[in-house]
Amino acid sequence: MRLLKSTIHPDLDNPQTNANGFHRQAARGIILRGEEVLMLYTERYHDYSIPGGGVDEGEDIRQGLIRELAEETGAHTIEIVSEFGRYEEYRPWYKAGFDFVHMESFCFICSIGETLGDTKLEAHEIQNGMYPVWINIHDAIAHNEHTMAHSDKKGMSIERETFLLKRIVTELL
């Protein structure tokens, strides 16, 4: 899959030579309806993100994406239409045992059934106030940019999400 961007968090010193990190793969689904995009809004971070998440050990990336979309958005009749691109990042890890995570997000263009069913969010997602929402893609970008400029509680993923949204506008709309 084509590499869209590779980033290293400014708090990290050359993580490629530091062995105290781990690798995580995630799958993300781009679902458009005209200029509306299906996003996850998270109250804790006041941001919009593309639905998807970590792929389980031994799980195929595409199967992981279908599972994550169903869990996070309640989507059904999920079809992966095509690959969009991969976003790679090295960022600090604040839990015991590792200094950083090497995260690869594999993004796919998807189609889903007309209506969303019930979500099956994880406890931390519920606690963070996460829920699926259709939003105009330009409004989502503007919202995330405002959060990046004015919020001290923003998450580390907002830069990735905003970059991806801008690429979607450039390449798919």
Side-chain angles (χ1 to χ4, degrees):
M1 184 178 289
R2 71 180 173 144
L3 179 63
L4 299 171
K5 186 170 184 177
S6 181
T7 66
I8 299 174
H9 192 277
D11 290 347
L12 294 179
D13 292 327
N14 197 4
Q16 290 96 336
T17 61
N18 181 342
N20 199 21
F22 71 98
H23 183 242
R24 181 171 184 240
Q25 292 184 325
R28 307 193 185 284
I30 300 163
I31 303 161
L32 296 169
R33 190 170 64 187
E35 288 197 352
E36 285 193 314
V37 60
L38 183 58
M39 302 293 291
L40 295 172
Y41 178 74
T42 305
E43 291 175 355
R44 177 180 180 187
Y45 300 118
H46 194 51
D47 67 2
Y48 290 98
S49 58
I50 297 169
V55 176
D56 294 337
E57 184 75 30
E59 184 178 37
D60 175 78
I61 289 175
R62 290 171 180 256
Q63 289 303 318
L65 173 59
I66 291 169
R67 176 185 50 76
E68 284 285 341
L69 287 176
E71 290 173 357
E72 292 184 345
T73 69
H76 58 90
T77 320
I78 301 165
E79 181 182 340
I80 298 173
V81 176
S82 63
E83 295 180 352
F84 184 72
R86 180 173 55 94
Y87 188 102
E88 172 185 64
E89 57 193 311
Y90 294 87
R91 59 189 202 191
W93 187 253
Y94 298 107
K95 296 178 184 173
F98 297 101
D99 295 327
F100 72 92
V101 58
H102 171 210
M103 169 80 88
E104 286 186 289
S105 293
F106 295 86
C107 302
F108 296 87
I109 300 164
C110 301
S111 66
I112 61 172
E114 284 293 314
T115 59
L116 298 177
D118 294 331
T119 61
K120 294 181 181 115
L121 296 171
E122 296 179 34
H124 74 277
E125 293 168 333
I126 294 168
Q127 185 177 11
N128 288 340
M130 181 183 282
Y131 58 88
V133 62
W134 285 100
I135 184 171
N136 177 284
I137 194 165
H138 303 287
D139 292 344
I141 292 168
H143 179 96
N144 278 2
E145 286 177 334
H146 185 269
T147 297
M148 285 189 292
H150 300 288
S151 176
D152 58 352
K153 65 177 184 172
K154 66 180 182 248
M156 284 196 288
S157 61
I158 194 170
E159 290 179 19
R160 174 190 67 227
E161 300 301 319
T162 307
F163 171 86
L164 290 170
L165 287 170
K166 289 178 179 179
R167 282 296 283 265
I168 292 163
V169 167
T170 302
E171 296 184 21
L172 300 179
L173 296 184

